[in-house]
């Protein structure tokens, strides 16, 4: 019953967080109002600013922020035991990620859809904002390069996922056409789209695609990486309704079906199967392999997406805020988007601790820190589905691998769109206007340059990935500082932002210092990562100091006059 109890506790906590805490944030802290004219209406352009049904926008937001990270992070962190991972995923999602994601979405919507980098200029100051852009730029570059490698690896290791991965693009284009041009109701389009996607998964399971040694003169690894960057560039330039929204929406629906299958497998295997899913991982692992870093602070940066992630703030303020139809939709899109990630991380934990066949097999997988990852999730989740639902192991593995690939792909193409925005913002700071196509080409050149910097197999894509966790969490704390400044200026309670801000900043800064020491260790020194880590640490300290000064000024300045809609929201608690 162990896996089932863990699942029920996790689900109950997420439901309680959304029904109670998110409602408190929406009513008392952010005072969301239907009377506020959102940027999607005020600045409608049919490309980036498009009023969007909240369910479609939730799908875009959730799958863009999810990627493979809420799978990879918990799958690696289980090396310290399932209990610490479970506590950080649940508590982090409810009180940290939900606040951060909803807060950055609200802050951007209230400021004409400006990105979190642009907001830092207004609320913290230009000096801090310029350094903030450096952190954002590095983080996005890490994401698009690393996720290209993750997807490439999955397409090669799981060739049954190739057809559904690329076929999903066609499905998404047709969904966008049906919803936005033919005006067909969303529910029948959703049903047909999901059936088509799962038909592709069945077809892919029956017809695996393995590339020959040379395709257009490139190895399979090189070809897939180039193809992914070409796709990402095109997707990032198209109007959001053509591909970005429908693709992410269908992926979001597909995720929930996948989670229902996974959670249902735990239930049926526990109650009805002759082979019960046993907890093969210890609650707290006191016998970690040699070389494993301390759980504190590394747990809190290893599990980022699925607890709290700075990347979410970039998506919320970069694309989602420009598509929000009504401000009150922010609670569903932002907070419930974070809950979706928490559910995926919970599913990952259950797949690994209940799907791996034995403690010996688990110990073999986790023989060194950094092991596990997506492969452990696919292996454990596939075994759970086979045991609980009777699905063939190959089909179960294809479902989970496709789910991981599609999430990573949506994060990659959204990351490319966001990096294009950042490059354009950097251009504006030096009085240089960069249009969409040149900015996108620069994104492709930089991304491919990093990915192929150590070989055509894409080894360079993971070159600076060890810095992702700390950079991502420092980014989250800096975004929370902006939310705190805004709340102080509006004379609202900043504690829901200040408490996670303090905790996340301390843990991520501590981890950055630990990494800095390890990068300079004789015999294993990595001076490139050392130099980048120094830049990130200096920039983070500078922005943090600027944020503290901005908070002090905010307490001393007269409060901002509330808008008319805010007065209504405050009096009627309209949500």
């Amino acid at each position: 019953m162990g896996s089932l109890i863990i699942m029920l506790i996790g689900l109950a906590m997420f439901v309680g967080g959304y029904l109670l805490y998110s409602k408190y944030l929406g009513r008392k802290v952010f005072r969301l109002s239907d009377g506020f004219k959102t940027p999607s209406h005020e600045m409608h352009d049919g490309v980036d600013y498009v009023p969007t049904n909240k369910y479609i926008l939730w799908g875009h937001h959730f799958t863009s922020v999810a990627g493979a990270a809420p799978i990879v992070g918990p799958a690696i962190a289980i090396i310290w035991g399932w209990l610490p991972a479970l506590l950080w995923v649940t508590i982090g999602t409810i009180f940290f990620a939900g606040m951060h994601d909803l807060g950055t979405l609200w802050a951007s919507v209230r400021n004409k859809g400006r990105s979190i980098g642009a907001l830092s200029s207004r609320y913290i100051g230009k000096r801090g904002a310029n350094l903030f852009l450096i952190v954002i730029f590095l983080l996005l570059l890490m994401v698009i390069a690393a996720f290209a490698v993750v997807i490439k690896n999955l397409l090669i290791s799981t060739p049954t996922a190739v057809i559904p991965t690329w076929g999903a693009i066609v499905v998404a284009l047709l969904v966008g056409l049906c919803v936005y041009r033919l005006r067909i109701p969303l529910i029948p389009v959703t049903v047909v789209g999901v059936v088509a996607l799962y038909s592709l998964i069945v077809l892919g399971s029956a017809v695996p695609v393995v590339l020959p040694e040379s395709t257009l003169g490139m190895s399979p690894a090189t070809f897939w990486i180039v193809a992914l960057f070409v796709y990402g560039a095109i997707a990032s330039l198209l109007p959001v309704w053509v591909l970005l929204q429908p693709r992410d929406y269908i992926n979001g629906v597909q995720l929930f079906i996948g989670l229902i299958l996974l959670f249902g497998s735990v239930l049926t295997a526990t109650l009805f199967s002759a082979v019960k899913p046993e907890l093969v991982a210890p609650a707290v692992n006191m016998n970690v392999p040699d070389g494993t870093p301390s759980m504190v602070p590394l747990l809190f940066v290893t599990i980022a997406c699925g607890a709290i992630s700075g990347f979410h703030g970039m998506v919320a303020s970069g694309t989602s805020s420009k598509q929000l139809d009504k401000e009150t939709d922010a609670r569903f899109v932002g907070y419930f988007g974070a809950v979706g990630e928490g559910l995926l991380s919970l599913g990952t934990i259950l797949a690994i601790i209940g799907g791996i066949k034995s403690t010996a097999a688990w110990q073999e997988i986790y023989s060194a820190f950094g092991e596990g990852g997506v492969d452990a999730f696919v292996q454990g989740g596939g075994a759970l589905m086979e045991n609980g639902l009777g699905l063939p192991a190959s089909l179960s593995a294809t479902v989970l691998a496709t789910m991981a690939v599609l999430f990573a792909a949506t994060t990659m193409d959204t990351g490319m769109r966001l990096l294009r925005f950042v490059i354009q913002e950097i251009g504006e700071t030096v009085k240089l206007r960069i249009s969409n196509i040149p900015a996108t080409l620069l994104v492709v050149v930089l991304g491919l340059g990093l990915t192929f910097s150590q070989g055509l197999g894409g080894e360079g894509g993971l070159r600076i990935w060890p810095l992702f966790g700390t950079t991502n969490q420092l980014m989250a704390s800096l975004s929370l500082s902006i939310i705190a400044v805004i709340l102080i200026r509006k004379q609202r309670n900043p504690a829901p932002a200040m408490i996670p801000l303090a905790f996340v900043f301390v843990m991520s800064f501590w981890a950055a210092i630990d990494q800095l020491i390890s990068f300079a260790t004789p015999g294993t020194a990595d001076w490139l990562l050392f130099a980048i880590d120094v830049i990130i640490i200096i920039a983070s300290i500078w922005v943090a100091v600027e944020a503290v000064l901005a908070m002090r000024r905010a307490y001393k300045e007269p409060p901002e006059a509330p808008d008319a809609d805010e007065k209504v929201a405050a009096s009627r608690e309209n949500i």
Side-chain angles (χ1 to χ4, degrees):
M1 295 290 287
S3 295
L4 181 60
I5 292 173
I6 292 171
M7 181 184 79
L8 294 176
I9 290 173
L11 292 176
M13 291 179 69
F14 289 139
V15 170
Y18 181 70
L19 294 180
L20 300 175
Y21 190 58
S22 77
K23 188 170 289 188
Y24 163 76
L25 293 175
R27 286 180 173 175
K28 300 293 187 180
V29 179
F30 300 123
R31 299 179 188 173
L32 305 178
S33 169
D34 279 340
F36 180 75
K37 189 175 183 179
T38 60
S40 67
H41 291 281
E42 183 181 0
M43 306 169 69
H44 184 278
D45 64 2
V47 178
D48 294 317
Y49 293 84
V50 179
T52 304
N53 177 288
K54 70 177 183 179
Y55 299 104
I56 293 178
L57 183 55
W58 177 87
H60 154 69
H61 178 81
F62 166 65
T63 54
S64 293
V65 300
I71 297 173
V72 174
I76 292 174
I78 285 177
I79 197 168
W80 292 299
W82 60 261
L83 182 59
L86 177 69
L87 290 175
W88 178 228
V89 163
T90 51
I91 296 173
T93 294
I94 295 167
F95 296 107
F96 290 56
M99 169 65 194
H100 172 272
D101 294 14
L102 173 55
T104 49
L105 181 56
W106 165 78
S108 178
V109 166
R110 284 281 163 169
N111 287 274
K112 299 184 181 298
R114 293 187 179 96
S115 71
I116 199 70
L119 292 180
S120 66
S121 178
R122 175 177 178 182
Y123 290 102
I124 294 180
K126 289 186 177 180
R127 290 177 302 183
N130 291 336
L131 290 168
F132 205 2
L133 282 175
I134 294 175
V135 178
I136 294 172
F137 177 86
L138 289 172
L139 185 59
L140 287 171
L141 192 59
M142 290 180 201
V143 167
I144 63 174
F147 277 36
V149 175
V150 169
I151 298 168
K152 174 265 296 182
N153 289 340
L154 280 169
L155 292 177
I156 292 175
S157 65
T158 315
T160 54
V162 172
I163 288 178
T165 294
W166 295 102
I169 298 174
V170 178
V171 174
L173 290 170
L174 293 175
V175 168
L177 178 66
C178 291
V179 172
Y180 288 101
R181 286 295 179 263
L182 301 181
R183 304 296 180 182
I184 299 175
L186 183 60
I187 292 179
V189 172
T190 301
V191 172
V192 174
V194 170
V195 170
L197 182 57
Y198 272 86
S199 298
L200 289 170
I201 290 174
V202 174
L203 177 62
S205 183
V207 187
V209 176
V210 179
L211 293 182
E213 290 297 317
S214 178
T215 303
L216 300 178
M218 295 177 281
S219 69
T222 305
F223 176 82
W224 284 133
I225 290 170
V226 172
L228 287 165
F229 271 95
V230 171
Y231 155 75
I234 295 172
S236 68
L237 287 170
L238 290 173
V240 291
W241 66 267
V242 174
L243 179 58
L244 189 72
Q245 286 181 355
R247 173 188 170 93
D248 294 356
Y249 170 68
I250 286 295
N251 287 347
V253 175
Q254 186 250 157
L255 163 80
F256 264 87
I257 293 174
L259 287 178
I260 289 171
L261 292 175
L262 191 58
F263 292 150
S265 299
V266 174
L267 178 64
T268 55
T270 301
L271 298 181
F272 306 113
S273 175
V275 182
K276 310 296 183 185
E278 299 180 0
L279 297 181
V280 298
V284 179
N285 189 11
M286 306 301 294
N287 188 29
V288 296
D290 293 339
T292 302
S294 172
M295 181 174 67
V296 180
L298 261 293
L299 171 70
F300 303 102
V301 297
T302 301
I303 301 179
C305 298
I308 181 172
S309 165
F311 181 70
H312 296 195
M314 288 185 282
V315 174
S317 65
T319 59
S320 301
S321 63
K322 298 175 177 62
Q323 302 168 56
L324 198 71
D325 184 25
K326 298 184 296 183
E327 191 180 51
T328 50
D329 291 346
R331 178 173 161 241
F332 182 79
V333 174
Y335 194 98
F336 193 61
V339 170
E341 274 220 327
L343 289 169
L344 181 54
S345 291
L346 174 63
T348 300
I349 293 171
L350 292 170
I352 293 174
I353 66 176
I356 304 298
K357 293 183 178 180
S358 65
T359 300
W362 182 85
Q363 290 173 339
E364 183 179 353
I365 293 173
Y366 289 92
S367 59
F369 181 71
E371 299 299 320
V374 176
D375 289 341
F377 166 71
V378 172
Q379 176 184 338
L384 265 180
M385 289 185 182
E386 183 180 20
N387 185 27
L389 301 178
L391 295 177
S394 60
L395 179 59
S396 300
T398 301
V399 169
L400 296 176
T402 301
M403 188 167 68
V405 170
L406 292 179
F407 289 162
T410 54
T411 301
M412 182 183 173
D413 59 40
T414 300
M416 292 183 72
R417 185 180 289 258
L418 293 173
L419 189 53
R420 184 241 297 173
F421 291 157
V422 170
I423 289 173
Q424 290 173 319
E425 287 181 8
I426 292 173
E428 290 174 3
T429 63
V430 295
K431 311 298 182 184
L432 178 64
R433 187 178 184 279
I434 307 175
S435 61
N436 289 350
I437 292 178
T440 302
L441 290 175
L442 185 56
V443 170
V444 172
V445 169
L446 291 171
L448 284 175
L450 175 60
T451 307
F452 291 140
S453 61
Q454 291 188 307
L456 295 179
E459 294 83 359
L462 299 176
R463 180 73 173 85
I464 60 176
W465 187 251
L467 292 169
F468 173 77
T470 52
T471 306
N472 193 37
Q473 300 303 67
L474 284 169
M475 176 72 197
S477 63
L478 298 177
S479 298
L480 286 167
S481 70
I482 295 172
I483 297 171
V485 171
I486 297 174
L487 292 175
I488 292 169
R489 289 179 63 169
K490 290 181 176 292
Q491 286 196 328
R492 299 180 193 171
N493 180 17
M498 296 284 283
I499 294 172
L501 159 62
F503 181 85
V504 173
F505 184 82
V506 169
M507 289 299 165
S508 54
F509 190 78
W510 182 357
I513 297 299
D514 277 358
Q515 284 187 312
L516 192 69
I517 295 171
S518 68
F519 293 149
T521 302
T524 59
D526 191 321
W527 297 111
L528 173 62
L529 296 184
F530 180 89
I532 296 175
D533 201 13
V534 168
I535 293 171
I536 292 169
I537 289 172
I538 292 173
S540 299
I541 292 174
W542 197 325
V543 176
V545 171
E546 295 279 357
V548 171
L549 295 175
M551 290 179 202
R552 292 183 61 185
R553 291 193 301 269
Y555 274 116
K556 295 177 181 179
E557 294 172 353
E560 289 183 354
D563 296 333
D565 67 283
E566 290 181 310
K567 294 178 181 178
V568 173
S571 61
R572 298 182 181 177
E573 296 187 348
N574 176 29
I575 188 167

